[in-house]
Amino acid sequence: MTAQIALTRPRDDQGLPARLARSAAARHGVSGSLEDFHAWFARRRAATRFAVDRIPFGGLDGWYFRDDTGDLVHRSGRFFSVGGLRVAVGDPPTATWHQPIIGQPEIGILGIMAKEFDGVLHFLVQAKMEPGNPNLLQLSPSVQATRSNYTGVHQGAAVRYLEYFTQAEGHRVLSDVLQSEHGSWFYRKRNRNMVVEVSGDVPPHEDFRWLTLGQIAELLRYDNLVNMDSRSVLASLPADVTPRALHSDTELLSWLAAMRSAHFVRTERIPLRSASGWTRGAASIDHERGRYFSVVAVAVQAGNREVAQWTQPLFEPRGEGVVAFLTREIEGVPHILVRARAEAGFLDTVEFGPTVQTIPENHAHLPPEKHPPFLDVVSGVRPDRVRYSVLQSEEGGRFLNAVSRYMVIDADESMAPLAPPFGFRWVSHGQLAEMARHGHYVNVHARTLLTCLNALAARAR
């Protein structure tokens, strides 16, 4: 007998932007008001003891430097490792350097659960501690776990709500995309960014909270509250914006392909002990000129994590970053000036990045003409042109006190011309939102700013 196959009618997602817009307009949700949220968040902070202490490398439990390479690895062979990277830019090379780099080939899950209450989409966020966060506790996705975590290598408790993402076939997937992470510090690292809508009852837990997009938009105005992974996942949702743009989608993709062809970046993994210009001490690995970042070690206590205490290495940048979009309305349509951003750890060399993405202290020793383009514009901008300016921290599971000021700035022709320099391109808000729904187009810093832009648009509506 021939097997019978039941065909399902494809779901129509045409109404999703409207549903998201309703959620973005809602400042009160099933869990109450924003005042109720802040009271809950304060209770979660007080309920559990969190502590992060710097320790020497000799105090690491389960981590060691390999005798043959000097790489910093875990005894399980899992989680991540710190090795060396040799980088050459240009053909022939115009810049070369060595650096430590994080190797983490496994793909983790960053998942946010969505559910409709009283006709309004809500999103399940978690009050989660990460050792590198400047204030430790931040709002993370419903699930934020490496493969080593959710397969139990840490021998800790199971990851709550994981099954909604590993067995998502029974639910409605609103977005699902492999996205890059920090290409300057990770080597070809990717995570699966997911939003899954469920209809049945979800077992409640005191560390989790249902919020509307409008409530999350308000919380994005607070320093170091919504973590990097949540911002990245939310950027993959479709935006309800005009399809008109200065350049067509085909022209934009062609430009990106040309930028990837023009940027020649050769990388080679090398032993950490062979990374010239870097010195390993008892408690840190540092650049010989005191720039860029250091590799340090910490001991962690966190009562609400799958494992209550552990030790690990972290990357610690030298100085506060600046990440900014310059924006303009072109024929009435909001546009963003993006940069073809090349990072040594990217899988595909170049992705759309912010107009400015840098740590100014790394360039303080250089003459102004050697500073990153548009950094002077951002640094000297008038307050009335700043639409958004908030301190946001980067991934707290791997980076210690990695904080940047994220900004959205209204520019004019004198600040950001319609004919920008090589490597820059005007894209519409709608185009960038659509690109973020696909992997390896929009880098993690630009995804944060895109989520913030979506929040600004929601407030305006």
Side-chain angles (χ1 to χ4, degrees):
M1 295 179 61
T2 303
Q4 298 296 310
I5 300 175
L7 299 180
T8 60
R9 182 182 298 277
R11 278 175 166 159
D12 183 5
D13 279 342
Q14 293 297 318
L16 180 57
R19 297 176 70 209
L20 294 173
R22 285 196 297 273
S23 181
R27 298 296 188 270
H28 194 285
V30 69
S31 299
S33 65
L34 284 173
E35 289 74 17
D36 296 322
F37 163 83
H38 288 295
W40 165 80
F41 197 69
R43 291 195 300 271
R44 300 323 308 146
R45 187 183 299 281
T48 307
R49 181 178 185 272
F50 303 114
V52 178
D53 298 305
R54 294 173 184 263
I55 59 174
F57 289 129
L60 287 170
D61 180 20
W63 296 84
Y64 67 97
F65 290 98
R66 288 182 49 161
D67 291 335
D68 54 346
T69 63
D71 290 0
L72 183 53
V73 299
H74 193 265
R75 64 188 170 201
S76 67
R78 302 288 295 277
F79 298 110
F80 64 96
S81 63
V82 180
L85 189 71
R86 178 186 293 118
V87 185
V89 178
D91 186 23
T94 56
T96 60
W97 70 87
H98 291 182
Q99 66 169 87
I101 196 82
I102 298 173
Q104 190 174 343
E106 60 186 35
I107 295 174
I109 292 178
L110 308 177
I112 294 180
M113 204 182 312
K115 182 175 167 61
E116 198 168 274
F117 295 94
D118 299 326
V120 178
L121 274 178
H122 288 63
F123 299 83
L124 189 65
V125 294
Q126 174 185 180
K128 183 169 185 174
M129 179 270 193
E130 292 288 352
N133 291 340
N135 53 355
L136 296 183
L137 198 69
Q138 295 189 10
L139 285 183
S140 82
S142 318
V143 168
Q144 177 184 320
T146 67
R147 183 172 179 82
S148 290
N149 289 145
Y150 68 75
T151 56
V153 174
H154 55 24
Q155 299 181 342
V159 176
R160 196 174 302 275
Y161 304 129
L162 177 66
E163 67 275 10
Y164 290 92
F165 301 94
T166 57
Q167 304 168 29
E169 291 81 3
H171 309 294
R172 185 181 184 185
V173 177
L174 303 185
S175 67
D176 189 353
V177 58
L178 290 178
Q179 295 284 21
S180 64
E181 298 222 359
H182 296 72
S184 296
W185 296 333
F186 278 116
Y187 187 72
R188 299 185 177 180
K189 176 73 172 68
R190 298 182 294 169
N191 272 325
R192 191 176 177 190
N193 288 224
M194 304 177 69
V195 180
V196 174
E197 183 181 359
V198 300
S199 56
D201 292 336
V202 177
H205 189 274
E206 57 191 358
D207 286 336
F208 293 76
R209 191 87 167 178
W210 290 103
L211 298 176
T212 68
L213 280 181
Q215 291 176 313
I216 296 173
E218 292 297 323
L219 297 177
L220 281 165
R221 302 177 70 83
Y222 289 80
D223 290 345
N224 299 315
L225 179 54
V226 180
N227 84 350
M228 185 210 79
D229 296 309
S230 294
R231 303 188 310 257
S232 175
V233 173
L234 292 171
S236 66
L237 290 171
D240 189 13
V241 290
T242 177
R244 295 169 52 224
L246 179 64
H247 303 286
S248 71
D249 292 350
T250 299
E251 290 171 336
L252 188 59
L253 290 172
S254 176
W255 177 80
L256 180 62
M259 290 297 99
R260 287 174 169 172
S261 300
H263 287 79
F264 190 86
V265 180
R266 181 185 292 111
T267 60
E268 179 186 358
R269 300 290 299 274
I270 60 174
L272 182 58
R273 68 166 70 253
S274 300
S276 63
W278 296 82
T279 302
R280 188 179 106 195
S284 64
I285 300 171
D286 305 290
H287 190 262
E288 61 187 3
R289 297 181 181 175
R291 298 180 189 139
Y292 311 121
F293 62 90
S294 297
V295 183
V296 300
V298 296
V300 186
Q301 294 185 44
N304 70 342
R305 290 290 299 267
E306 294 86 3
V307 176
Q309 58 185 24
W310 70 92
T311 63
Q312 69 170 95
L314 291 170
F315 276 32
E316 183 177 30
R318 297 293 185 97
E320 185 178 287
V322 174
V323 182
F325 273 158
L326 295 183
T327 65
R328 291 181 64 176
E329 282 207 358
I330 302 174
E331 296 185 5
V333 178
H335 279 70
I336 302 153
L337 186 61
V338 297
R339 183 174 192 177
R341 172 83 183 180
E343 297 183 16
F346 280 163
L347 186 65
D348 211 352
T349 309
V350 165
E351 296 184 9
F352 293 116
T355 320
V356 173
Q357 176 189 322
T358 191
I359 297 177
E361 288 185 25
N362 289 337
H363 311 283
H365 63 289
L366 298 173
E369 63 270 16
K370 297 290 187 180
H371 291 180
F374 298 104
L375 177 59
D376 58 335
V377 173
V378 172
S379 301
V381 67
R382 296 200 321 259
D384 63 314
R385 288 195 171 273
V386 179
R387 295 173 58 199
Y388 181 87
S389 178
V390 175
L391 292 175
Q392 301 283 12
S393 56
E394 308 304 333
E395 211 278 284
R398 298 293 177 266
F399 311 134
L400 179 63
N401 297 324
V403 176
S404 294
R405 179 160 295 280
Y406 279 80
M407 306 176 72
V408 177
I409 296 170
D410 281 329
D412 58 21
E413 180 68 18
S414 67
M415 300 163 65
L418 283 185
F422 178 81
F424 291 83
R425 195 77 161 182
W426 288 103
V427 304
S428 74
H429 183 177
Q431 285 177 316
L432 196 63
E434 182 59 30
M435 293 296 171
R437 292 176 60 76
H438 304 275
H440 305 289
Y441 281 162
V442 182
N443 82 351
V444 68
H445 296 83
R447 294 199 301 274
T448 278
L449 281 173
L450 180 59
T451 296
C452 297
L453 266 180
N454 293 340
L456 289 172
R459 285 173 60 86
R461 284 196 296 268

